[in-house]
Amino acid sequence: LGLISLLLLLSQAVKFTTAMFSPWQESVKVARTRWNADYNFNIVILAKGISLLSFNPQKETITTVDIPQNVYLEVPNGFGMWLMSSIYNLGESQQMGGGQLLKNTLVNQFGLPIDGFLQFSGEYSRKETAVIISEIRKDPFSLARVLPYLKTDLTPVELIRLKMGLSRVRFDKIEQIDLKALDVLQKDKLADGTDILTMDTIKLEPQLSAFKDTSLQTENKTIAIFNSTD
């Protein structure tokens, strides 16, 4: 009986450890490098709207960009141009994961590595990203409150480290970038008359200085690309 009890305890410990390092409520498994908390952590947040958040652990700063739902973007994997509001459902319908397809799209658009996504449901789906981040920062028990409404490819360990990191950021080190105010969005129409916005990446790039990774800048490394084809 003692041996059986010990084996049962060990199996539960293994299950718990595996769960702590597995994506939270995300069935699509995607191989990726886990965040080591030394470099910037960029995540896509889906709540009332869609936002890109960058947490700099070195400077302890938070930068967010709210992306309008009617922005028309090039979606990778040969899907062509789609509205921002439709990309998540497109990924789900193709069994490749809505969050993953959304991340890949924004990687191409912003030229930044994106480490994960947070999708909120229930009461949190009606809140702005800034409000959710404020609650997570200020409330010591916020992570436990949001878990039932959260779907993410981050592991519980990463969520805890992210929560602790965001809580250390002072209110005056939070920056919110407004794309409309930066004049990087142009109005346009689809063939059916739908009003859309297109993004000028040339104008956008100089506005992303807040997303620069302090650790990568310090390394001061160079990259050489050699093309061996004709």
Side-chain angles (χ1 to χ4, degrees):
L1 286 176
L3 180 60
I4 292 173
S5 300
L6 179 60
L7 290 174
L8 288 174
L9 286 173
L10 286 174
S11 67
Q12 293 302 315
V14 170
K15 287 182 180 179
F16 177 76
T17 303
T18 302
M20 289 297 289
F21 291 93
S22 300
W24 178 261
Q25 294 189 6
E26 171 60 16
S27 58
V28 179
K29 303 295 190 229
V30 178
R32 66 180 183 86
T33 302
R34 296 300 174 186
W35 180 45
N36 63 7
D38 291 329
Y39 299 91
N40 283 13
F41 196 54
N42 303 319
I43 55 176
V44 181
I45 298 178
L46 295 81
K48 184 177 180 179
I50 299 176
S51 304
L52 178 59
L53 178 145
S54 180
F55 167 59
N56 186 322
Q58 306 298 323
K59 294 183 177 180
E60 295 189 347
T61 60
I62 297 173
T63 305
T64 60
V65 177
D66 293 330
I67 306 169
Q69 298 275 16
N70 62 336
V71 169
Y72 207 48
L73 298 176
E74 177 75 28
V75 180
N77 303 102
F79 288 115
M81 302 292 292
W82 286 74
L83 287 172
M84 171 63 75
S85 58
S86 303
I87 297 175
Y88 182 87
N89 291 334
L90 173 64
E92 291 291 291
S93 66
Q94 299 297 320
Q95 283 80 47
M96 60 187 305
Q100 183 63 33
L101 185 59
L102 193 56
K103 286 196 306 181
N104 293 344
T105 301
L106 294 181
V107 164
N108 291 349
Q109 188 65 39
F110 286 87
L112 296 169
I114 297 181
D115 304 283
F117 76 92
L118 304 177
Q119 181 188 14
F120 293 93
S121 59
E123 60 182 279
Y124 290 94
S125 65
R126 300 185 292 273
K127 295 183 178 182
E128 301 286 351
T129 297
V131 175
I132 295 176
I133 296 303
S134 178
E135 291 182 9
I136 291 176
R137 288 178 53 251
K138 296 177 181 179
D139 185 357
F141 305 102
S142 57
L143 192 56
R145 297 182 198 278
V146 303
L147 278 181
Y149 307 98
L150 181 63
K151 181 179 180 181
T152 178
D153 59 348
L154 301 182
T155 67
V157 170
E158 289 174 317
L159 288 172
I160 293 171
R161 295 170 74 181
L162 178 61
K163 151 67 181 170
M164 294 174 63
L166 296 181
S167 298
R168 294 195 301 268
V169 178
R170 298 200 318 254
F171 72 93
D172 59 330
K173 289 192 172 184
I174 301 175
E175 180 182 3
Q176 188 168 4
I177 297 177
D178 185 355
L179 294 179
K180 294 180 180 178
L182 296 178
D183 191 32
V184 298
L185 300 176
Q186 288 84 39
K187 294 182 179 180
D188 203 347
K189 286 183 180 290
L190 296 180
D192 61 0
T194 303
D195 292 323
I196 63 169
L197 295 171
T198 58
M199 194 177 299
D200 189 331
T201 55
I202 295 177
K203 290 183 178 179
L204 176 64
E205 186 175 355
Q207 309 298 333
L208 299 179
S209 58
F211 286 87
K212 289 182 178 179
D213 194 303
T214 308
S215 297
L216 290 180
Q217 286 182 304
T218 304
E219 289 177 359
N220 197 30
K221 293 182 178 179
T222 58
I223 298 175
I225 300 176
F226 297 92
N227 184 359
S228 61
T229 69
D230 295 332

